[in-house]
Each structure stands twice: as structure tokens, then as C-alpha cells.
Amino acid sequence: MAKLILTLDGVVLKEYALTKERTTIGRKAHNDVQIDNLAVSGEHAAIVTILNDSFLEDLGSTNGTLVNGQPIKKHFLQNGDVIEIGKYKVKYMNEQTTGTTAADFEKTMVLRSTPRPAEARIGDTQTGTRTDVRRPYTDTQINARATSSHPIPPPSQSLPGAVTSTVASIPGTGTGTLQGVIQILSGPNAGRELALAKALTTLGKPGVQVAVIAKRPQGFFITHVEGANYPIVNGKTLDAQAHLLSDHDIIELAGVKMEFFFKPAA
């Protein structure tokens, strides 16, 4: 299990096991890691832990957060990283191996809420330029898909360059082997699909709002990582905890609506 070691001038003050999915660091008493010093903001930083991976986010602190001597806003933590907050140092220790790298985390699926044809892209999932993107769904259609027991089926038009996925067997989803998929419903990329093939898939706009979808044996879970606003699922704003996604859930993130669903393996 990953842990934090809090030190001051080389003296170990306390160790914290990262047992929660969101661990906060700050001066105020409600933080999981409280550092009672005026150089530390009331809510200074947060660490989101998903499976064996942890992500550090500076929460707009006054004096900033450093990792290994470099200022950061968001950082994928690796074993031995030293977080500096004021005169205090917090060492991140995690000897468990993970298949995720910093490069994987940084390759966020970029979401745009307003059309920008020349720049519209989906991060590392882009496999070619599309000129025949379907017309975005109306809000009435999107709301119907989120609330109806018989969701409106997506158009049958094929998606050139769609990403294929390693099939994941999801317990409790009925017969057959299924894979998880995200389909964009609004914005310039409406109609595009992203197969959730990796253990972690990051979605959103870096610096604005970012979430991670983790593929676990129990299913697919969405967790807030960055930004003041939390993701919305079926009209309900999520909290800091991981949320299990259900078939045909409607997600709102960074001003873009998308649908999560299962489909049979090809």
C-alpha cells in the first residue's frame, strides 16, 4: 500500500497510509494530512489514489507545491517522489509495480465544448481526421437516454478510425463478454467513440476539469482528479469518491456530454 512520510528538516513527523481515494493536505484541521503552518494554505493539495496509482493536484495554494524541486499543478506520483509544501517535505512511497506511466496519465482525452474544426482532437486516441462527424444529440435526446429504461440506440453509422479495445469481462452484465465504451454526444467530436481498453483513461480539459475512468474487475469507475467542479452523471454531481458507471450513464465533463455503455466484443 502506498504511503506518505511527512518530514521537517530531515526529522520524520508522521506517516500516512493512502487508504482513501482522495487524501487532502493543508493547514485546516479537516485535512487528512494537516500541516499547521502559515506557509501552508487551508486546503493546499490533494492526492487521488486509483488502484495502485496516485495523482497529486495543487488546489490553487498561495505558495504553490513542488515535486522533486519543480513547481506542479498536477503530477503523476512515482515511488520516491518528494513533495515540498513550505518548509515541509512529504515523501511518496509505493513499491507496488503499476502498468501506468506518467506519459499515460498526461495523454488526456481532450474534450472541446465549442467547435474548433482545425484543432478538434481526442488526445492520444486520435487516429485520423474526421469530416463526417454526426450531428450532436439534442438535450431532449440526451436526457431521454439517461432516464429511459429503453435508451435511444446510437446511430448505426460506423466511425472511421474508431479505437479497438482489449475485451474486459464485466460481472453482472448478463450473457456474453462486453467491453466498455465512451461515446461523445455533444461538441465538435459528437459521435466519436473511445473504447476503454487501458486500466486508466483520463478525460477532460487539463487545467479546467479532468476525471479518470478506471477499469476494475467489478466494472468501470469514474473519479474526479482535477478542477473545482466535479463530474455529473445522470444529472447528479459526484463527490470525491469513485463512482461505478452503469450501462447508458450520461456523463457531463468539461462542458461536454458523453455516454458510457457496454457493447459486445467484435
Side-chain angles (χ1 to χ4, degrees), residues 114-134:
T114 55
R116 295 176 63 182
E119 300 179 23
R121 63 187 181 92
I122 304 188
D124 64 327
T125 67
Q126 184 79 20
T127 56
T129 302
R130 241 190 114 198
T131 58
D132 61 340
V133 174
R134 287 195 292 261

Side-chain angles (χ1 to χ4, degrees), residues 11 20 22 41 126 147 149 171 178 191 265:
V11 178
K20 298 173 61 178
R22 186 175 178 86
S41 296
Q126 184 79 20
T147 58
S149 59
L178 304 175

Side-chain angles (χ1 to χ4, degrees), residues 63-265:
N63 294 316
T65 302
L66 304 180
V67 175
N68 302 330
Q70 300 298 316
I72 62 94
K73 291 296 183 183
K74 180 179 62 176
H75 179 78
F76 178 82
L77 289 168
Q78 300 181 68
N79 185 39
D81 277 352
V82 177
I83 305 165
E84 298 177 50
I85 299 178
K87 294 182 179 180
Y88 292 79
K89 293 184 178 181
V90 182
K91 190 171 185 178
Y92 173 77
M93 299 296 296
N94 184 5
E95 296 180 355
Q96 286 187 286
T97 58
T98 173
T100 308
T101 65
D104 289 333
F105 178 63
E106 290 167 1
K107 291 178 181 177
T108 302
M109 174 180 172
V110 178
L111 304 173
R112 298 196 187 282
S113 55
T114 55
R116 295 176 63 182
E119 300 179 23
R121 63 187 181 92
I122 304 188
D124 64 327
T125 67
Q126 184 79 20
T127 56
T129 302
R130 241 190 114 198
T131 58
D132 61 340
V133 174
R134 287 195 292 261
R135 179 180 61 82
Y137 290 93
T138 66
D139 286 341
T140 300
Q141 289 176 308
I142 291 171
N143 292 334
R145 296 179 79 173
T147 58
S148 173
S149 59
H150 301 285
I152 300 170
S156 59
Q157 181 180 356
S158 63
L159 294 170
V163 180
T164 58
S165 170
T166 301
V167 176
S169 180
I170 308 300
T173 55
T175 60
T177 303
L178 304 175
Q179 62 182 2
V181 178
I182 287 288
Q183 184 182 47
I184 307 301
L185 300 180
S186 66
N189 288 307
R192 188 175 293 278
E193 290 185 1
L194 171 70
L196 300 174
K198 299 186 294 184
L200 295 176
T201 300
T202 54
L203 308 169
K205 293 181 181 178
V208 177
Q209 189 180 26
V210 174
V212 172
I213 295 181
K215 183 172 68 174
R216 304 180 182 179
Q218 301 86 355
F220 291 84
F221 291 77
I222 185 170
T223 304
H224 172 79
V225 172
E226 178 185 1
N229 298 318
Y230 287 77
I232 298 172
V233 175
N234 298 333
K236 181 180 179 181
T237 302
L238 303 183
D239 56 21
Q241 301 305 309
H243 175 81
L244 175 64
L245 291 170
S246 299
D247 197 23
H248 296 293
D249 274 352
I250 301 298
I251 304 167
E252 297 179 52
L253 181 69
V256 174
K257 292 186 179 182
M258 64 196 81
E259 179 185 12
F260 168 83
F261 62 94
F262 294 107
K263 71 177 183 180

